[in-house]
Amino acid sequence: MKRSEWGKYEKIINKGTMNVIVLASFIILTAILITGFSNYAIVRNTLTEKLQKEDLVYILKSISAQVDGRIMRAKETSLIIADSPEIIQWFNDGETDKQYEAMFIKQITGIAKTLNYTVFFASKKTGHYWTDSDLLTDTISKSNPADRWFFDAIASAQKITLNIDHNNVLNQTNLWVNTLMGDSHNPAGVAGVGVDLHDISTEFSHYKIGDKSNLWLVDTKGKISISEDVEQSGGKLADFLPTDVYDKIMKDTGQRGNEPTVVSYLDKNGPVDLIFQKLESCDWILVFQINRSETLGVLNSLMISTLVTIAVVLVFLLLVFYLVSSKIANPYQGAIQLNLELEKEIKERTAKISDQNTQIMESLQYAKTIQESILPRIEVWQRVLAANFVLWRPRDIVGGDFYWLKETERGFILVVGDCTGHGVPGALMTMAVNSLLNNIVVENNALSPVLIIKELDRQLKEALNKEKGDEATDDGLEAGICYYDNTGKLLFAGAKINLYGLSADQITRYDGYRSGIGYLKSTFSSEFKNVELKVKQGDRFYLTTDGYVDQNGGLNDYSFGKSRFKELIIQTLSLSMREQGTYFDKELTDYMREKPQRDDITVVGFEIIQ
C-alpha cells in the first residue's frame, strides 16, 4: 500500500477514533453529572434526616444523662442527710447537746469533703443556719428577703425543691437541693446540698457545633439556667427563638413528658434545626439549636472536592479509553475471559469456606453435646430439688457458664459458675472446674461452701500453672455455692456471685466475696465465712451469673440491672418455680429486643420443700 493511501486510511481511523472518544466523553460526563447531582441531593436529604433523628437526639440524650445523673445523685445525698433521725432529734431539741454538735459538724464536713458538695442545715425551731465550711453561719429571719427560700420550702410541704443560682461575676452556676427534714408537713427544718454545675456548663461547649449552635438548660418559666455562653445564662429563652417555637417548647414539655422533640424553622441565616426534652430528674428543659448550614457545610466542601476528582478521573479515563481503542484488539473478550476465571476461583474458594464452616459448626454442636453431658440430669433435679428452674443460655452455642448439683447424705450442694471466656475456651474451663468440683466434694467429702471455694482456688491455680509468673495464664471463675441440710440449715458463700433469698414475701441479697477464684491475684482472707440461714418450707433462692443482669436493652439500651432482677422475683411470687423460670426467660427476651446477647447467661432458682 502506498504511503499516501495509508495516510488516507490513517486519517479515517483517527477521525473515527476521535468521534468515538468524543461521544464516549459526552456520555461519561453526562452520566457523572446526573449521578453526582442526584447523589448530592440524596446525601443532603440523608444527612438532614440523620441529623434530626440521630445526631441531635444523641447529643441531647448524652448531655441530659449527665445533668440527670448529677441531679439524682445530689437528691439521693440530700435525702440521706435530711432524714437522719439523730440530726432531726437534735434540731427538735433546740441544738442544745454540745457533744452531739461536735459529731454533727464532723459528719457534714466529712460528707462535703467526700462528695465535693456544699452541705447545709437550717433549723425550723432556732433558725440556725449551718454549713460545712463556716458551720453555724447565720440565723434565718422572715424579715430578711434572702431567707425567703427557707420559708417557701417549709410552706410548700414538698419533700424536695430545686433552684439554680447563677453568679455572672464569678461565672459559677450552683444547683441547690432543698429537702424537708423528716415529716414534710411538720419538718424539723431544711437540709440539702449545693452542687457546682460549672463542669456541666463547660461540657455544653464541647457539644457545640460551629459558631451558631446553642445548648441551653431552661426552667419551667423559660429562664436560661445554664449555657456555654455566660452572657446568655440568666436570660430568657424567648429572646433567642421565634414565638411559635418557644410556645411549642413550653407547651409540649408539659404534655409529652421526657420524649425528645425536633422542630425545624427558618431564620435570617436559613434553616434551623432544634431539639428539646424535659429532664427525668426535674421539670427543667434541655434545648439544642443549630443552623443547618453549619452541619451541612462539610457536604459543600465534599462536593467541590468531588467535582475536582471527577475532572481528574474523566481526563484519566479518556486517556485510557484512547489507548484501549487504539492499541488493544479485543478488550471485551479479554475481560470476559478474566471474569470467567475469577468466577471459577471465587466458586472454588466459596465451596472451600462453606465446607470449613460446616465442619466448625459440627464441631461446636458436638462440643455442646459434651458440655451438656456434664450438667446435672433432669432426674437428679427431680430427686433432689423438685421445685426449681434453670435458665442456661450460652452466647456462642457453648460457653463459660455452668451449674453443678450433687446430692449428699443429708441434703445437696448447688454451684453456679461463670468461667473466663466464651465459646470453646470457656467451655473447656467449665469441664476442668467440673472435674475439680467432683474431686473436692465427692472424693474429699467437703461440704462447706467456703472450704470448697478455697480448695477450688488452690487446685485451679495448680492446674493452670499459676506459679510460672508472667508466663502463666490468668484464668479463673466466679461462683456461688449453696449447701442445704435437711434440718433446715442453708450455707452460702460466693466469689463475686450473690444469692437472692425470698422468705415471707421479703427478698434479701447476700453478697459474694469480692475476689474471683483461680486468678493470679485471687485471695480469700479470714473474714471470708459462710452465710448461715435458717430456712423453712416455701422459701425460695436464686443464683445468677452477671450475664442476665448485665444484658443491655430496653428503650435506653441500659443493662437489665440487679434492682430490676429483684423486682422481677417479687412480681412472680404467685407463680410456680417452673412458671417463674419461663417468665424470667420471656422477660429477658422482651427486654433485649433486637440487641445481641453480650455474655453467657445462667439463672438457677429453687424452692425449699422439706
Side-chain angles (χ1 to χ4, degrees):
M1 181 180 295
K2 297 181 179 179
R3 178 64 184 171
S4 57
E5 293 179 352
W6 169 248
K8 180 174 67 176
Y9 285 112
E10 187 177 18
K11 289 180 181 179
I12 294 174
I13 294 173
N14 290 339
K15 183 178 180 180
T17 301
M18 289 303 299
N19 289 337
V20 171
I21 292 174
V22 171
L23 178 61
S25 300
F26 176 77
I27 295 173
I28 293 172
L29 182 60
T30 302
I32 290 176
L33 290 176
I34 294 174
T35 303
F37 283 112
S38 62
N39 286 342
Y40 176 81
I42 293 173
V43 171
R44 183 182 181 89
N45 293 335
T46 302
L47 286 179
T48 301
E49 183 178 3
K50 180 178 182 294
L51 170 71
Q52 295 177 343
K53 293 184 177 181
E54 297 181 18
D55 298 343
L56 293 179
V57 174
Y58 170 77
I59 292 174
L60 201 70
K61 284 186 175 295
S62 297
I63 194 66
S64 66
Q66 294 190 38
V67 178
D68 277 328
R70 182 63 62 84
I71 294 175
M72 291 302 294
R73 286 193 297 273
K75 281 184 175 181
E76 292 170 358
T77 303
S78 183
L79 281 170
I80 292 172
I81 65 175
D83 286 338
S84 171
E86 294 83 2
I87 298 178
I88 292 173
Q89 184 62 43
W90 187 59
F91 275 160
N92 286 332
D93 293 342
E95 306 153 58
T96 56
D97 188 340
K98 294 301 181 180
Q99 183 177 2
Y100 185 80
E101 178 179 328
M103 296 174 60
F104 169 72
I105 293 172
K106 182 179 180 181
Q107 182 177 356
I108 65 173
T109 54
I111 293 173
K113 182 177 180 181
T114 303
L115 301 179
N116 196 24
Y117 288 156
T118 298
V119 181
F120 69 90
F121 288 83
S123 172
K124 178 181 176 182
K125 184 173 184 178
T126 64
H128 290 168
Y129 181 77
W130 301 79
T131 68
D132 61 275
S133 57
D134 298 324
L135 303 180
L136 180 57
T137 60
D138 197 3
T139 300
I140 292 176
S141 171
K142 287 186 177 181
S143 61
N144 187 353
D147 296 335
R148 183 174 179 179
W149 65 271
F150 174 80
F151 299 100
D152 288 344
I154 295 291
S156 71
Q158 294 184 16
K159 187 66 176 178
I160 295 180
T161 55
L162 306 176
N163 68 285
I164 284 184
D165 174 37
H166 183 77
N167 190 315
N168 289 327
V169 176
L170 299 177
N171 188 21
Q172 180 174 333
T173 302
N174 289 317
L175 166 69
W176 295 97
V177 182
N178 304 320
T179 307
L180 299 182
M181 299 176 62
D183 185 0
S184 299
H185 298 287
N186 186 25
V190 179
V193 298
V195 184
D196 183 3
L197 296 182
H198 176 71
D199 56 338
I200 297 295
S201 301
T202 304
E203 190 68 20
F204 273 23
S205 64
H206 296 163
Y207 287 91
K208 189 176 180 68
I209 302 175
D211 298 327
K212 300 177 182 178
S213 65
N214 289 293
L215 188 57
W216 301 298
L217 182 62
V218 184
D219 65 16
T220 55
K221 296 181 180 180
K223 180 181 178 181
I224 298 174
S225 299
I226 301 179
S227 171
E228 89 285 347
D229 188 343
V230 178
E231 296 180 356
Q232 294 180 3
S233 297
K236 290 288 186 179
L237 182 64
D239 296 338
F240 302 95
L241 297 176
T243 302
D244 57 336
V245 176
Y246 172 78
D247 292 341
K248 180 175 178 60
I249 293 174
M250 304 308 294
K251 178 181 178 181
D252 284 10
T253 50
Q255 297 177 348
R256 298 186 57 185
N258 301 329
E259 289 299 320
T261 302
V262 178
V263 178
S264 298
Y265 61 92
L266 292 174
D267 67 2
K268 61 182 180 180
N269 296 316
V272 176
D273 294 302
L274 179 144
I275 185 171
F276 61 90
Q277 173 187 0
K278 186 167 72 173
L279 296 177
E280 293 185 2
S281 58
C282 59
D283 291 333
W284 295 331
I285 308 165
L286 195 62
V287 183
F288 181 59
Q289 173 206 58
I290 185 170
N291 281 22
R292 195 176 298 170
S293 59
E294 293 189 319
T295 58
L296 299 181
V298 65
L299 184 61
N300 296 328
S301 301
L302 182 62
M303 183 179 181
I304 295 174
S305 301
T306 302
L307 290 175
V308 174
T309 303
I310 288 173
V312 175
V313 171
L314 182 61
V315 172
F316 178 75
L317 286 176
L318 292 178
L319 179 61
V320 171
F321 185 78
Y322 175 78
L323 295 175
V324 170
S325 301
S326 303
K327 304 297 182 181
I328 301 178
N330 193 359
Y332 182 68
Q333 181 179 359
I336 291 177
Q337 184 65 30
L338 178 60
N339 186 61
L340 291 174
E341 292 176 359
L342 289 175
E343 286 185 358
K344 180 181 178 181
E345 184 175 353
I346 289 172
K347 287 181 179 179
E348 292 175 351
R349 292 188 178 183
T350 302
K352 184 177 181 181
I353 292 173
S354 178
D355 291 340
Q356 293 175 343
N357 185 62
T358 300
Q359 294 175 8
I360 291 173
M361 292 305 297
E362 290 176 350
S363 297
L364 284 175
Q365 290 296 336
Y366 187 66
K368 180 180 180 181
T369 302
I370 295 174
Q371 186 176 29
E372 289 178 345
S373 69
I374 69 171
L375 299 176
R377 298 188 302 276
I378 186 66
E379 56 267 23
V380 177
W381 283 106
Q382 292 297 329
R383 186 175 65 252
V384 178
L385 280 171
N388 72 85
F389 73 81
V390 177
L391 175 58
W392 186 62
R393 282 194 191 180
R395 192 191 70 174
D396 303 318
I397 300 180
V398 293
D401 276 14
F402 73 97
Y403 52 96
W404 188 87
L405 178 66
K406 186 64 64 176
E407 186 177 10
T408 66
E409 293 181 358
R410 302 179 57 183
F412 63 84
I413 294 178
L414 173 64
V415 181
V416 171
D418 181 1
C419 295
T420 304
H422 309 287
V424 174
L428 290 174
M429 278 289 294
T430 66
M431 299 183 71
V433 172
N434 186 277
S435 177
L436 293 176
L437 281 172
N438 281 313
N439 179 65
I440 295 170
V441 176
V442 178
E443 301 297 331
N444 298 329
N445 196 30
L447 299 179
S448 167
V450 165
L451 293 180
I452 294 173
I453 288 176
K454 289 183 176 180
E455 183 62 17
L456 183 59
D457 179 67
R458 184 188 67 79
Q459 293 192 21
L460 194 58
K461 287 179 178 179
E462 290 181 357
L464 298 179
N465 298 318
K466 294 296 172 71
E467 71 278 1
K468 290 184 177 180
D470 294 338
E471 298 180 0
T473 60
D474 194 17
D475 297 320
L477 74 151
E478 301 170 0
I481 303 178
C482 289
Y483 167 63
Y484 173 71
D485 188 300
N486 290 332
T487 60
K489 180 178 68 175
L490 186 142
L491 300 180
F492 165 74
K496 304 186 77 173
I497 285 185
N498 306 323
L499 173 68
Y500 296 84
L502 181 66
S503 180
D505 296 344
Q506 296 294 322
I507 187 167
T508 305
R509 189 180 78 190
Y510 304 97
D511 293 336
Y513 196 67
R514 59 183 176 272
S515 176
I517 302 171
Y519 297 97
L520 289 171
K521 296 183 179 180
S522 296
T523 56
F524 295 93
S525 65
S526 58
E527 67 181 23
F528 180 42
K529 300 181 182 300
N530 290 316
V531 176
E532 182 172 340
L533 305 174
K534 188 66 176 177
V535 298
K536 60 182 181 300
Q537 180 82 4
D539 287 354
R540 294 183 175 185
F541 297 92
Y542 307 85
L543 289 167
T544 177
T545 61
D546 57 7
Y548 196 101
V549 295
D550 288 349
Q551 176 61 46
N552 62 311
L555 295 177
N556 298 313
D557 195 23
Y558 292 157
S559 298
F560 191 87
K562 296 178 181 177
S563 297
R564 187 180 281 108
F565 182 79
K566 292 174 65 176
E567 293 173 2
L568 190 59
I569 296 174
I570 297 297
Q571 292 170 6
T572 54
L573 279 175
S574 60
L575 301 180
S576 68
M577 291 304 295
R578 293 194 180 279
E579 291 172 337
Q580 195 176 47
T582 303
Y583 192 89
F584 272 48
D585 193 10
K586 181 179 182 300
E587 186 71 12
L588 180 63
T589 300
D590 294 343
Y591 186 79
M592 290 171 62
R593 297 189 176 185
E594 302 299 325
K595 300 297 181 182
Q597 184 173 328
R598 298 175 58 178
D599 197 357
D600 300 325
I601 294 172
T602 300
V603 181
V604 175
F606 62 92
E607 180 177 337
I608 299 300
I609 300 178
Q610 297 177 345

